[in-house]
Amino acid sequence: MLQTEILCQSPIFRGISPDDLRELFSRILYQVKTYQKNDLITIGGEICDRLLIIQQGSVKAEMTDYSGKTIKIEDLAAPWPLATAFLFGKENRFPVTVSATSEVEMVSIPKPEFVKLLQMNSLILNNYLNTISSRAQFLSQKLKFLSFKTIRQKIAHFLLEKAGDRLQTVEIMQTQGQLAEMFGVTRPSLARTLSEMSQEGLIEIDRRTIKIPDKNRMNQLLKS
Amino acid sequence: MLQTEILCQSPIFRGISPDDLRELFSRILYQVKTYQKNDLITIGGEICDRLLIIQQGSVKAEMTDYSGKTIKIEDLAAPWPLATAFLFGKENRFPVTVSATSEVEMVSIPKPEFVKLLQMNSLILNNYLNTISSRAQFLSQKLKFLSFKTIRQKIAHFLLEKAGDRLQTVEIMQTQGQLAEMFGVTRPSLARTLSEMSQEGLIEIDRRTIKIPDKNRMNQLLKS
DNA sequence: TTATAAATGTATCAAATGTTACAAACTGAA
DNA sequence: TTCAGTTTGTAACATTTGATACATTTATAA
């Protein structure tokens, strides 16, 4: 049984009224499947040719490693969609194995039918395009960050990004520990590098605010 | 002047006949702009509210760093689209500054008009979705690779990925130098680690083929 | 075959970062 | 204030990787 009041909360159907959504669904083919706790919903490696949206209950996504063991990746609950990034593109396979962690109702829309939905309603189209574009942008940012090798470079990038064109001082909201985790380094290593950069006059630290006296000099760090 | 014979070679319009494409364009608003060599086409940070496709000529994309200097990112030529990943999503700004490297004709389609195109033609819709999804998938893969810290882990991931479930031996097509570049490490470091792993019995190297006697043991490396 | 270039194996040393440990400074609640 | 928990600064040492150099092996073309 389709519950459009819930589905319209999903990122993909956001902004559509439950009634409109019901009307849209009446014009396509779809299934609502029920799973019991621990039932398998998708298997990693399986072809992804339909969009799955959790209508009721919660699931967990696990990845199978090379030795066959599974590692939990994330928990998802209604009304979230599954694997939106793998419905299109070159690699049309579920990257993860998904199983129910409670009684679950799953709306399953075959890819061609979902394409119809996208063409019928520009809001859905925009929502979906925004979802996967944002993901690509997020990944791109993350990748750029990781591309800086040394801790100094990561700090320089982080600070210059935060400062923008205008500001000369940056207010840090995270603890050193959180920053270190973002940077993928250990906390003492980050502290050491900050202290070194401070001694060299690259930055001036006062509690949670960091001043960059010479942005050009800081920028040099990103070159090598 | 719109040249649909060229545009239909573009990833976004692939599979559409020049005539059909002309008909589709007749139903939307668009512009064809001409630029002379060295003219600026987009400026980094500018709002990205239109799709740009190179119809004639070539351009270069440059990124402006914090000190105002520019670094060349890539060269693009007809019939390639620009910044497809930034038309939608949260960050609607061109990440790069694009300028003409020859006389250039650029087709400019405002975002709402492009959305119309997507809705009118399911092939264009599929092409576009495939383009940005593939990008997200590519980035995701790259990120996973970079998330392994030590060279041992990168090698283990690379080999296990190549071997899949079945095979016990992997044939390497690249030189060590190329592999090292993929991994983002120096060639001697890679060679040293390979030789250490070989001594420990983790792998057996014979020219370009590598055997993995114990995949479980290899898999352990990815855990810590 | 031979000459040449490319690829590989290996060694040494330096630099960067991780690991562990502990003290000092800060923060918030009783 | 006082005290417990968190955050920060810093030190000593281990580990990993980079940089450089050079000999050896392998591939390629004349």
Side-chain angles (χ1 to χ4, degrees), chain A residues 175-176 187-188 191 195 208:
Chain A
T175 69
Q176 278 191 9
R187 207 265 314 159
S195 131
R208 287 276 165 105

Side-chain angles (χ1 to χ4, degrees), chain A residues 86-108:
Chain A
F86 296 89
L87 189 54
F88 295 91
K90 286 172 190 157
E91 191 53 59
N92 285 120
R93 291 165 186 285
F94 283 103
V96 290
T97 294
V98 176
S99 52
T101 52
S102 68
E103 190 172 324
V104 166
E105 282 176 28
M106 193 72 81
V107 179
S108 171

Side-chain angles (χ1 to χ4, degrees), chain B residues 155-224:
Chain B
I155 293 173
H157 173 68
F158 176 77
L159 291 178
L160 288 168
E161 189 85 345
K162 275 228 152 189
D165 291 343
R166 312 272 175 74
L167 302 174
Q168 205 177 16
T169 64
V170 173
E171 182 108 17
I172 309 295
M173 307 310 262
Q174 301 98 324
T175 69
Q176 279 192 7
Q178 292 171 319
L179 276 187
E181 199 181 332
M182 270 184 56
F183 291 10
V185 301
T186 60
R187 208 263 316 157
S189 294
L190 179 63
R192 168 175 46 199
T193 308
L194 279 172
S195 132
E196 284 168 7
M197 291 173 80
S198 177
Q199 279 182 7
E200 293 168 32
L202 273 164
I203 56 178
E204 292 165 21
I205 307 178
D206 178 23
R207 299 169 194 251
R208 287 277 164 105
T209 60
I210 298 183
K211 184 177 172 186
I212 312 167
D214 185 347
K215 280 202 201 177
N216 278 3
R217 196 170 144 220
M218 180 76 94
N219 200 52
Q220 287 303 317
L221 297 182
L222 302 180
K223 294 301 171 54
S224 66

